[in-house]
Amino acid sequence: MIYLDNAATTRPDEGSVREAMRYIGEDFFNPSAMYKEGFAVHKRMDEARKNILTNIADPSKFDLVFTSCGSEADNQAVFSCARRGNFVTTEGEHAAIYQAAAELARRGVEVRFAKLDRYGGADEEDLLRLVDEKTSLVSVIHVNNETGAVNDIASVAKRVKAKNPRTFFHSDGVQAFGKIPFRMTGEIDFYSVSAHKIGGVRGAGALVRNKAKNLFPFVFGGGQESGYRSGTENTFAIMQFEAAARKKFRTLTEDLDRVKSFNGLFRRELDGKIFAILSAENASPYILSVSARGLRGEVLLHMLNDRGVLVGTGSACSSKNRYSRVILACGADERTADGVLRISFSAATTEEECREAVSIINACAGELAERTR
């Protein structure tokens, strides 16, 4: 099997899983328990919190709230901050933001969507035009999960604050964390991350918070996570998240260079008579969207699956929709959107796998094109 759907989820890093197994075995204690064993787990969890945070932010200015996933972190930021006025976001957001925006609209909050460029990046001028004195929250995805477009969120946040200093700024950083170089700036108030995109297990995510900004709880109960997120913490997933992040950030630069070469290989070797490249040259190299225009991407996906190559047709969270709303928002027509494949890499991907996958993809697309003539 050649796995090239890493934007959906990555294989858990085996070494990180082994390292964290003690929190299922001998150190299984509830971190909220009063006895010393529980307190020791709580103390170790706070070390993991700081270690994960330090990769992208100054712990003296930011803190980190553990959640169950990136979607929960996104939702907490949205429903905590967009309680009045209007909410400004983009047409290229992950479903966790896009559907949260729909719920806000049902609750009476005005929602405004900024346009995208042809590659899925936010139209900054259009977004700034939508921000006014009543804007309570702006949320802009860092790396688009379908096209890999990278938004300069530090610049966008600075411009938003210049227009309305009271506006909160949030970014979904799930596809950026551990993959592209980045540090939190003072204008970014909240930032969502997830473990399972970087070799962590599913069940752990986090919301990074500027300490100067208020955050309301999204899950109520026992008051864990300093009252910001109730529920007994998943200590195994958190510790494995820490170990996977440590490993990922240690090799971030060399992984990025290697993945760039894989991305370039696909751009060069995919059959140009069938495939159009939809991702920009300066997109995150971890994600490459292409279109076999006039062919059904879903049919091609299943053909590839039968031959041992696993890819996506867009966001796994929106897989029930024939046409990607993000690809359509980039200006693509339905024939182009219908033929989309999303190829996404990880640090574990090899050149040999990529070369074999390109050959299989070209062969399957050629066969499908012949059948549909």
Coordinates of all heavy atoms in Angstrom, one line a residue, residues 275-367:
F275 N -4.0 15.8 -16.4 CA -4.0 16.5 -15.1 C -3.6 17.9 -15.2 O -2.7 18.3 -15.9 CB -3.1 15.8 -14.1 CG -3.6 14.4 -13.7 CD1 -3.0 13.3 -14.3 CD2 -4.6 14.3 -12.7 CE1 -3.5 12.0 -13.9 CE2 -5.0 13.1 -12.3 CZ -4.5 11.9 -12.9
A276 N -4.4 18.8 -14.5 CA -4.1 20.2 -14.3 C -3.7 20.3 -12.9 O -4.4 19.8 -12.0 CB -5.2 21.1 -14.7
I277 N -2.6 21.1 -12.6 CA -2.2 21.3 -11.2 C -3.0 22.5 -10.7 O -3.1 23.6 -11.3 CB -0.7 21.7 -11.2 CG1 0.1 20.6 -11.8 CG2 -0.3 21.9 -9.7 CD1 0.1 19.2 -11.2
L278 N -3.6 22.3 -9.5 CA -4.5 23.3 -8.9 C -3.8 24.1 -7.8 O -4.1 25.2 -7.4 CB -5.8 22.7 -8.4 CG -6.7 21.9 -9.4 CD1 -7.9 21.5 -8.7 CD2 -7.0 22.8 -10.6
S279 N -2.8 23.4 -7.2 CA -2.0 24.0 -6.1 C -0.9 25.0 -6.6 O -0.3 24.7 -7.6 CB -1.4 23.0 -5.2 OG -2.4 22.1 -4.6
A280 N -0.8 26.1 -5.9 CA 0.2 27.1 -6.3 C 1.6 26.5 -6.1 O 1.8 25.6 -5.3 CB 0.1 28.4 -5.5
E281 N 2.6 27.1 -6.8 CA 4.0 26.7 -6.6 C 4.5 26.9 -5.2 O 5.3 26.2 -4.7 CB 4.9 27.4 -7.6 CG 4.8 27.0 -9.1 CD 5.5 25.6 -9.3 OE1 6.3 25.2 -8.5 OE2 5.3 25.1 -10.4
N282 N 4.0 28.0 -4.6 CA 4.4 28.3 -3.2 C 3.5 27.8 -2.1 O 3.5 28.3 -1.0 CB 4.6 29.9 -3.1 CG 3.3 30.6 -3.3 OD1 2.2 30.0 -3.7 ND2 3.3 31.9 -3.0
A283 N 2.6 26.9 -2.5 CA 1.8 26.2 -1.5 C 2.6 25.3 -0.6 O 3.7 25.0 -0.9 CB 0.7 25.4 -2.2
S284 N 2.0 24.9 0.5 CA 2.7 23.9 1.3 C 3.0 22.7 0.5 O 2.0 22.1 -0.1 CB 1.8 23.5 2.5 OG 2.3 22.3 3.2
P285 N 4.2 22.2 0.5 CA 4.5 21.0 -0.4 C 3.8 19.8 0.1 O 3.8 18.8 -0.6 CB 6.0 20.9 -0.3 CG 6.4 21.6 1.0 CD 5.4 22.7 1.2
Y286 N 3.3 19.8 1.3 CA 2.7 18.6 1.9 C 1.3 18.3 1.2 O 0.8 17.2 1.3 CB 2.4 18.8 3.4 CG 3.7 18.5 4.2 CD1 4.6 19.6 4.5 CD2 4.0 17.3 4.7 CE1 5.7 19.4 5.2 CE2 5.2 17.1 5.5 CZ 6.0 18.2 5.7 OH 7.2 18.0 6.5
I287 N 0.8 19.2 0.5 CA -0.5 19.1 -0.2 C -0.4 19.4 -1.6 O 0.0 20.5 -2.0 CB -1.6 19.9 0.5 CG1 -1.8 19.4 2.0 CG2 -2.9 19.8 -0.2 CD1 -2.8 20.3 2.8
L288 N -0.9 18.6 -2.5 CA -0.9 18.8 -3.9 C -2.3 18.4 -4.5 O -2.6 17.3 -4.5 CB 0.2 18.1 -4.7 CG 0.2 18.3 -6.2 CD1 0.6 19.7 -6.6 CD2 1.2 17.3 -6.8
S289 N -3.0 19.4 -4.9 CA -4.3 19.2 -5.6 C -4.2 19.2 -7.1 O -3.6 20.2 -7.6 CB -5.4 20.1 -5.1 OG -5.9 19.7 -3.8
V290 N -4.7 18.3 -7.7 CA -4.7 18.2 -9.2 C -6.1 17.9 -9.7 O -7.0 17.4 -8.9 CB -3.7 17.1 -9.7 CG1 -2.3 17.4 -9.2 CG2 -4.1 15.7 -9.3
S291 N -6.4 18.1 -10.9 CA -7.7 17.7 -11.5 C -7.5 17.0 -12.8 O -6.8 17.5 -13.7 CB -8.6 19.0 -11.7 OG -9.8 18.6 -12.4
A292 N -8.2 15.9 -12.9 CA -8.3 15.2 -14.2 C -9.7 15.7 -14.8 O -10.7 15.0 -14.7 CB -8.3 13.7 -14.0
R293 N -9.6 16.8 -15.4 CA -10.9 17.5 -15.8 C -11.7 16.6 -16.8 O -11.1 16.1 -17.8 CB -10.5 18.8 -16.5 CG -11.7 19.7 -16.7 CD -11.3 21.1 -17.1 NE -12.5 22.0 -17.2 CZ -13.2 22.1 -18.3 NH1 -13.0 21.5 -19.4 NH2 -14.3 23.0 -18.2
G294 N -12.9 16.5 -16.5 CA -13.8 15.7 -17.3 C -13.9 14.2 -16.9 O -14.8 13.5 -17.3
L295 N -13.1 13.8 -15.9 CA -13.2 12.5 -15.3 C -13.7 12.6 -13.9 O -13.7 13.7 -13.3 CB -11.8 11.8 -15.2 CG -11.0 11.7 -16.6 CD1 -9.7 11.0 -16.3 CD2 -11.9 10.9 -17.6
R296 N -14.3 11.5 -13.3 CA -14.8 11.5 -12.0 C -13.6 11.2 -11.0 O -13.1 10.1 -11.1 CB -15.9 10.5 -11.8 CG -17.2 10.9 -12.4 CD -17.9 12.0 -11.6 NE -18.0 11.8 -10.2 CZ -19.0 11.1 -9.6 NH1 -19.9 10.5 -10.4 NH2 -19.1 10.9 -8.3
G297 N -13.3 12.2 -10.2 CA -12.2 12.0 -9.2 C -12.5 10.8 -8.3 O -11.6 10.0 -7.9
E298 N -13.8 10.6 -7.9 CA -14.2 9.5 -7.0 C -13.9 8.2 -7.7 O -13.4 7.2 -7.0 CB -15.6 9.6 -6.6 CG -16.1 8.6 -5.6 CD -17.5 8.7 -5.2 OE1 -18.1 9.7 -5.5 OE2 -18.0 7.8 -4.4
V299 N -14.3 8.1 -9.0 CA -14.0 6.8 -9.7 C -12.5 6.5 -9.8 O -12.1 5.4 -9.6 CB -14.7 6.9 -11.1 CG1 -14.3 5.6 -11.9 CG2 -16.2 7.0 -11.0
L300 N -11.8 7.6 -10.1 CA -10.3 7.4 -10.2 C -9.7 7.0 -8.8 O -8.9 6.1 -8.7 CB -9.7 8.7 -10.6 CG -8.2 8.7 -11.0 CD1 -7.8 7.6 -11.9 CD2 -7.8 10.0 -11.6
L301 N -10.3 7.6 -7.7 CA -9.8 7.2 -6.4 C -10.0 5.7 -6.1 O -9.1 5.1 -5.6 CB -10.6 8.0 -5.3 CG -10.3 7.8 -3.8 CD1 -10.5 9.1 -3.0 CD2 -11.2 6.7 -3.3
H302 N -11.1 5.2 -6.5 CA -11.4 3.8 -6.3 C -10.5 2.9 -7.1 O -10.1 1.8 -6.7 CB -12.9 3.5 -6.5 CG -13.8 4.1 -5.4 ND1 -13.6 3.8 -4.1 CD2 -14.8 4.9 -5.5 CE1 -14.5 4.5 -3.4 NE2 -15.2 5.2 -4.2
M303 N -10.3 3.3 -8.4 CA -9.4 2.5 -9.2 C -8.0 2.5 -8.6 O -7.3 1.4 -8.6 CB -9.3 3.2 -10.6 CG -10.6 3.1 -11.4 SD -10.4 4.0 -13.0 CE -9.1 3.0 -13.9
L304 N -7.5 3.6 -8.1 CA -6.2 3.7 -7.4 C -6.2 2.8 -6.2 O -5.2 2.1 -5.9 CB -5.9 5.1 -7.1 CG -5.6 6.1 -8.3 CD1 -5.5 7.5 -7.9 CD2 -4.4 5.6 -9.1
N305 N -7.3 2.9 -5.4 CA -7.4 2.1 -4.2 C -7.2 0.6 -4.5 O -6.5 -0.2 -3.8 CB -8.7 2.3 -3.6 CG -8.8 1.8 -2.1 OD1 -9.9 1.9 -1.5 ND2 -7.8 1.2 -1.6
D306 N -7.8 0.2 -5.6 CA -7.7 -1.3 -6.1 C -6.3 -1.6 -6.4 O -5.9 -2.8 -6.3 CB -8.6 -1.5 -7.3 CG -10.1 -1.5 -6.9 OD1 -10.4 -1.6 -5.7 OD2 -11.0 -1.3 -7.8
R307 N -5.5 -0.6 -6.8 CA -4.1 -0.9 -7.2 C -3.1 -0.5 -6.1 O -1.9 -0.4 -6.4 CB -3.8 -0.2 -8.5 CG -4.7 -0.7 -9.6 CD -4.2 -0.3 -11.0 NE -5.3 -0.6 -12.0 CZ -5.1 -0.4 -13.3 NH1 -3.9 0.1 -13.7 NH2 -6.1 -0.6 -14.1
G308 N -3.6 -0.2 -4.9 CA -2.7 0.0 -3.7 C -2.3 1.4 -3.5 O -1.3 1.6 -2.7
V309 N -2.9 2.4 -4.1 CA -2.5 3.8 -3.9 C -3.7 4.5 -3.3 O -4.8 4.5 -3.8 CB -2.1 4.5 -5.2 CG1 -1.8 6.0 -4.9 CG2 -0.9 3.8 -5.8
L310 N -3.5 5.1 -2.1 CA -4.5 5.8 -1.4 C -4.3 7.3 -1.4 O -3.3 7.8 -1.0 CB -4.6 5.3 0.1 CG -5.3 4.0 0.4 CD1 -4.6 2.8 -0.2 CD2 -5.3 3.8 1.9
V311 N -5.3 8.0 -2.1 CA -5.3 9.4 -2.1 C -6.7 9.9 -1.7 O -7.6 9.1 -1.5 CB -4.9 9.9 -3.6 CG1 -3.5 9.5 -4.0 CG2 -6.0 9.5 -4.6
G312 N -6.8 11.2 -1.7 CA -8.1 11.8 -1.4 C -8.7 12.5 -2.6 O -8.1 12.7 -3.6
T313 N -9.9 13.0 -2.4 CA -10.5 13.8 -3.5 C -10.8 15.2 -2.9 O -11.5 16.0 -3.6 CB -11.9 13.2 -4.0 OG1 -12.8 13.0 -2.9 CG2 -11.6 11.9 -4.7
G314 N -10.3 15.5 -1.8 CA -10.5 16.8 -1.1 C -10.5 16.6 0.4 O -9.9 15.6 0.9
S315 N -11.1 17.4 1.1 CA -11.2 17.3 2.6 C -12.0 16.0 3.0 O -13.1 15.8 2.5 CB -11.9 18.5 3.2 OG -12.1 18.3 4.6
A316 N -11.4 15.2 3.8 CA -12.1 14.0 4.3 C -13.3 14.3 5.1 O -14.3 13.6 5.1 CB -11.1 13.2 5.2
C317 N -13.4 15.6 5.7 CA -14.5 16.0 6.4 C -15.7 16.4 5.5 O -16.8 16.7 6.0 CB -14.1 17.1 7.4 SG -12.9 16.7 8.6
S318 N -15.5 16.5 4.2 CA -16.5 16.9 3.3 C -16.6 15.9 2.2 O -17.1 16.2 1.1 CB -16.2 18.3 2.7 OG -16.1 19.2 3.8
S319 N -16.3 14.6 2.4 CA -16.2 13.6 1.4 C -17.5 13.2 0.8 O -17.6 12.6 -0.2 CB -15.4 12.4 1.9 OG -16.1 11.9 3.0
K320 N -18.6 13.6 1.5 CA -20.0 13.2 1.0 C -20.4 14.2 -0.1 O -21.4 13.9 -0.8 CB -21.0 13.2 2.1 CG -20.7 12.1 3.2 CD -21.7 12.1 4.3 CE -21.5 10.9 5.2 NZ -20.2 11.0 5.9
N321 N -19.7 15.3 -0.3 CA -20.1 16.2 -1.3 C -19.4 16.0 -2.6 O -18.2 15.8 -2.6 CB -19.8 17.7 -0.9 CG -20.6 18.0 0.4 OD1 -21.7 17.6 0.6 ND2 -19.9 18.7 1.3
R322 N -20.1 15.9 -3.8 CA -19.5 15.6 -5.1 C -18.5 16.7 -5.4 O -17.4 16.4 -5.9 CB -20.6 15.5 -6.1 CG -20.0 15.2 -7.5 CD -21.0 14.8 -8.5 NE -20.4 14.6 -9.8 CZ -21.1 14.1 -10.9 NH1 -22.4 13.8 -10.8 NH2 -20.5 13.9 -12.0
Y323 N -18.9 18.0 -5.3 CA -18.0 19.1 -5.6 C -17.5 19.8 -4.4 O -18.3 20.1 -3.5 CB -18.7 20.1 -6.5 CG -19.4 19.5 -7.7 CD1 -20.8 19.6 -7.9 CD2 -18.6 18.9 -8.7 CE1 -21.4 19.1 -9.1 CE2 -19.2 18.4 -9.9 CZ -20.6 18.5 -10.0 OH -21.2 17.9 -11.1
S324 N -16.2 20.0 -4.3 CA -15.6 20.7 -3.2 C -16.0 22.2 -3.3 O -15.8 22.9 -4.3 CB -14.1 20.6 -3.2 OG -13.5 21.6 -2.5
R325 N -16.6 22.7 -2.2 CA -17.0 24.1 -2.2 C -15.7 25.0 -2.2 O -15.8 26.1 -2.8 CB -17.8 24.5 -0.9 CG -17.1 24.2 0.4 CD -17.8 24.7 1.6 NE -17.2 24.2 2.8 CZ -16.1 24.7 3.3 NH1 -15.5 25.8 2.8 NH2 -15.6 24.2 4.4
V326 N -14.6 24.5 -1.7 CA -13.4 25.3 -1.7 C -12.8 25.4 -3.2 O -12.5 26.5 -3.6 CB -12.3 24.7 -0.8 CG1 -10.9 25.4 -1.0 CG2 -12.7 24.7 0.6
I327 N -12.8 24.3 -3.9 CA -12.3 24.3 -5.3 C -13.2 25.2 -6.1 O -12.7 25.9 -7.0 CB -12.2 22.9 -5.8 CG1 -11.2 22.0 -5.0 CG2 -11.8 22.9 -7.3 CD1 -9.8 22.5 -5.0
L328 N -14.5 25.1 -5.9 CA -15.4 26.0 -6.7 C -15.2 27.4 -6.3 O -15.3 28.3 -7.2 CB -16.9 25.6 -6.4 CG -17.4 24.2 -6.9 CD1 -18.8 23.9 -6.5 CD2 -17.3 24.2 -8.4
A329 N -14.9 27.7 -5.0 CA -14.7 29.1 -4.6 C -13.4 29.6 -5.2 O -13.2 30.9 -5.3 CB -14.6 29.2 -3.1
C330 N -12.5 28.8 -5.7 CA -11.3 29.2 -6.3 C -11.5 29.6 -7.8 O -10.6 30.1 -8.5 CB -10.2 28.1 -6.3 SG -9.6 27.6 -4.7
G331 N -12.8 29.4 -8.2 CA -13.1 29.8 -9.6 C -13.2 28.6 -10.6 O -13.4 28.8 -11.8
A332 N -13.0 27.4 -10.1 CA -13.0 26.2 -11.0 C -14.4 25.9 -11.4 O -15.4 26.2 -10.6 CB -12.4 25.0 -10.3
D333 N -14.6 25.4 -12.6 CA -16.0 24.9 -13.0 C -16.2 23.5 -12.4 O -15.3 22.9 -11.9 CB -16.2 25.0 -14.5 CG -15.2 24.1 -15.2 OD1 -14.6 23.2 -14.7 OD2 -14.9 24.4 -16.4
E334 N -17.5 23.0 -12.6 CA -17.8 21.7 -12.0 C -17.1 20.6 -12.7 O -16.8 19.6 -12.0 CB -19.3 21.5 -12.1 CG -20.1 22.4 -11.2 CD -21.6 22.1 -11.2 OE1 -22.1 21.3 -12.1 OE2 -22.3 22.7 -10.3
R335 N -16.7 20.7 -13.9 CA -16.0 19.6 -14.6 C -14.6 19.5 -14.0 O -14.1 18.4 -13.8 CB -15.9 19.8 -16.1 CG -17.2 19.7 -16.9 CD -16.9 19.6 -18.4 NE -16.3 18.4 -18.8 CZ -15.5 18.2 -19.8 NH1 -15.0 19.3 -20.4 NH2 -15.0 17.0 -20.1
T336 N -14.0 20.6 -13.7 CA -12.7 20.6 -13.0 C -12.8 20.1 -11.6 O -12.0 19.2 -11.1 CB -12.1 22.0 -13.0 OG1 -11.9 22.4 -14.3 CG2 -10.7 22.0 -12.3
A337 N -13.8 20.6 -10.8 CA -14.0 20.2 -9.4 C -14.3 18.7 -9.3 O -14.0 18.1 -8.3 CB -15.1 21.0 -8.8
D338 N -15.0 18.2 -10.3 CA -15.4 16.8 -10.3 C -14.2 15.8 -10.4 O -14.2 14.7 -10.0 CB -16.4 16.5 -11.4 CG -17.3 15.3 -11.1 OD1 -17.4 14.9 -9.9 OD2 -17.9 14.7 -12.1
G339 N -13.1 16.3 -11.0 CA -11.9 15.5 -11.3 C -10.8 15.6 -10.3 O -9.7 15.2 -10.5
V340 N -11.1 16.3 -9.2 CA -10.0 16.6 -8.2 C -9.5 15.4 -7.5 O -10.3 14.5 -7.0 CB -10.5 17.6 -7.2 CG1 -9.5 17.8 -6.1 CG2 -10.6 19.0 -7.9
L341 N -8.2 15.3 -7.4 CA -7.5 14.4 -6.5 C -6.6 15.2 -5.6 O -6.0 16.1 -6.0 CB -6.6 13.4 -7.2 CG -7.3 12.3 -8.1 CD1 -6.2 11.4 -8.7 CD2 -8.3 11.5 -7.3
R342 N -6.6 14.9 -4.3 CA -5.7 15.5 -3.3 C -4.6 14.5 -2.9 O -4.9 13.5 -2.3 CB -6.4 16.1 -2.1 CG -5.5 16.8 -1.1 CD -6.2 17.2 0.1 NE -6.6 16.1 1.0 CZ -7.2 16.2 2.2 NH1 -7.4 17.4 2.7 NH2 -7.5 15.1 2.8
I343 N -3.4 14.8 -3.3 CA -2.2 14.0 -2.9 C -1.5 14.7 -1.8 O -1.1 15.8 -1.9 CB -1.3 13.8 -4.2 CG1 -2.1 13.2 -5.3 CG2 -0.1 13.0 -3.8 CD1 -1.5 13.4 -6.7
S344 N -1.3 14.0 -0.7 CA -0.7 14.6 0.5 C 0.4 13.7 1.1 O 0.1 12.5 1.2 CB -1.7 15.1 1.5 OG -2.6 14.0 1.8
F345 N 1.5 14.3 1.5 CA 2.7 13.6 1.9 C 2.9 13.7 3.4 O 2.3 14.5 4.1 CB 3.9 14.2 1.1 CG 3.7 14.3 -0.4 CD1 3.3 15.5 -0.9 CD2 3.9 13.2 -1.2 CE1 3.1 15.7 -2.3 CE2 3.8 13.4 -2.6 CZ 3.3 14.6 -3.1
S346 N 3.8 12.9 3.9 CA 4.3 12.9 5.2 C 5.8 12.8 5.3 O 6.4 12.4 4.2 CB 3.6 11.9 6.1 OG 4.2 10.6 6.0
A347 N 6.3 12.9 6.4 CA 7.8 12.7 6.6 C 8.2 11.3 6.3 O 9.3 11.0 6.0 CB 8.2 13.1 8.0
A348 N 7.2 10.4 6.4 CA 7.5 8.9 6.2 C 7.4 8.5 4.7 O 7.8 7.4 4.4 CB 6.6 8.1 7.0
T349 N 6.9 9.4 3.9 CA 6.8 9.1 2.5 C 8.2 8.9 1.8 O 9.1 9.6 2.2 CB 6.0 10.2 1.7 OG1 4.8 10.5 2.4 CG2 5.8 9.9 0.3
T350 N 8.3 8.0 0.9 CA 9.6 7.8 0.3 C 9.5 8.1 -1.2 O 8.4 8.1 -1.8 CB 10.0 6.3 0.4 OG1 9.1 5.5 -0.4 CG2 10.0 5.8 1.8
E351 N 10.7 8.4 -1.8 CA 10.8 8.7 -3.2 C 10.3 7.5 -4.1 O 9.6 7.6 -5.1 CB 12.2 9.1 -3.6 CG 12.3 9.4 -5.1 CD 13.7 9.9 -5.5 OE1 14.5 10.2 -4.6 OE2 14.0 10.0 -6.7
E352 N 10.7 6.3 -3.6 CA 10.3 5.1 -4.4 C 8.7 5.0 -4.4 O 8.2 4.7 -5.5 CB 10.9 3.9 -3.7 CG 10.5 2.5 -4.4 CD 11.1 1.3 -3.7 OE1 11.7 1.5 -2.6 OE2 10.9 0.2 -4.2
E353 N 8.1 5.3 -3.3 CA 6.6 5.2 -3.3 C 6.0 6.3 -4.2 O 5.1 6.0 -5.0 CB 6.1 5.5 -1.9 CG 6.3 4.4 -0.9 CD 5.9 4.8 0.5 OE1 6.0 6.0 0.9 OE2 5.3 3.9 1.2
C354 N 6.6 7.4 -4.3 CA 6.1 8.5 -5.1 C 6.3 8.2 -6.6 O 5.3 8.4 -7.4 CB 6.9 9.8 -4.8 SG 6.5 10.6 -3.2
R355 N 7.4 7.6 -7.0 CA 7.6 7.2 -8.4 C 6.6 6.1 -8.8 O 6.1 6.2 -9.9 CB 9.0 6.8 -8.6 CG 10.0 8.0 -8.5 CD 11.4 7.6 -9.0 NE 12.3 8.7 -8.8 CZ 12.4 9.8 -9.7 NH1 11.6 9.8 -10.7 NH2 13.2 10.7 -9.5
E356 N 6.4 5.2 -8.0 CA 5.5 4.1 -8.3 C 4.0 4.7 -8.3 O 3.3 4.3 -9.2 CB 5.6 3.0 -7.2 CG 4.7 1.8 -7.6 CD 4.8 0.6 -6.6 OE1 5.7 0.7 -5.7 OE2 4.1 -0.3 -6.7
A357 N 3.7 5.6 -7.4 CA 2.4 6.1 -7.4 C 2.1 6.9 -8.6 O 1.0 6.8 -9.2 CB 2.2 7.0 -6.1
V358 N 3.0 7.7 -9.0 CA 2.8 8.6 -10.3 C 2.5 7.6 -11.5 O 1.6 7.9 -12.3 CB 4.1 9.4 -10.6 CG1 4.0 10.0 -12.0 CG2 4.2 10.6 -9.6
S359 N 3.3 6.6 -11.6 CA 3.1 5.6 -12.7 C 1.7 5.0 -12.6 O 1.0 4.9 -13.7 CB 4.1 4.5 -12.6 OG 3.9 3.6 -13.6
I360 N 1.2 4.6 -11.4 CA -0.1 4.0 -11.3 C -1.2 5.0 -11.6 O -2.2 4.7 -12.2 CB -0.2 3.4 -9.9 CG1 0.7 2.2 -9.7 CG2 -1.7 2.9 -9.6 CD1 0.8 1.7 -8.3
I361 N -1.0 6.2 -11.1 CA -2.0 7.3 -11.3 C -2.2 7.6 -12.7 O -3.3 7.7 -13.3 CB -1.7 8.6 -10.5 CG1 -1.8 8.3 -8.9 CG2 -2.6 9.7 -10.8 CD1 -1.3 9.4 -8.1
N362 N -1.1 7.8 -13.4 CA -1.1 8.0 -14.9 C -1.8 6.9 -15.6 O -2.6 7.1 -16.5 CB 0.3 8.2 -15.4 CG 0.8 9.6 -15.1 OD1 0.1 10.6 -14.9 ND2 2.1 9.8 -15.1
A363 N -1.5 5.6 -15.3 CA -2.1 4.5 -15.9 C -3.6 4.4 -15.7 O -4.4 4.2 -16.6 CB -1.4 3.2 -15.5
C364 N -4.0 4.6 -14.5 CA -5.4 4.6 -14.1 C -6.2 5.7 -14.8 O -7.3 5.5 -15.3 CB -5.6 4.6 -12.6 SG -5.2 3.1 -11.8
A365 N -5.6 6.9 -14.8 CA -6.3 8.0 -15.4 C -6.4 7.8 -16.9 O -7.4 8.1 -17.5 CB -5.5 9.3 -15.1
G366 N -5.4 7.2 -17.5 CA -5.4 7.0 -19.0 C -6.5 5.9 -19.3 O -7.2 6.1 -20.3
E367 N -6.6 4.9 -18.5 CA -7.6 3.9 -18.7 C -9.0 4.5 -18.6 O -9.9 4.2 -19.4 CB -7.5 2.8 -17.7 CG -6.2 1.9 -17.9 CD -6.0 0.9 -16.8 OE1 -7.0 0.6 -16.1 OE2 -4.9 0.4 -16.7

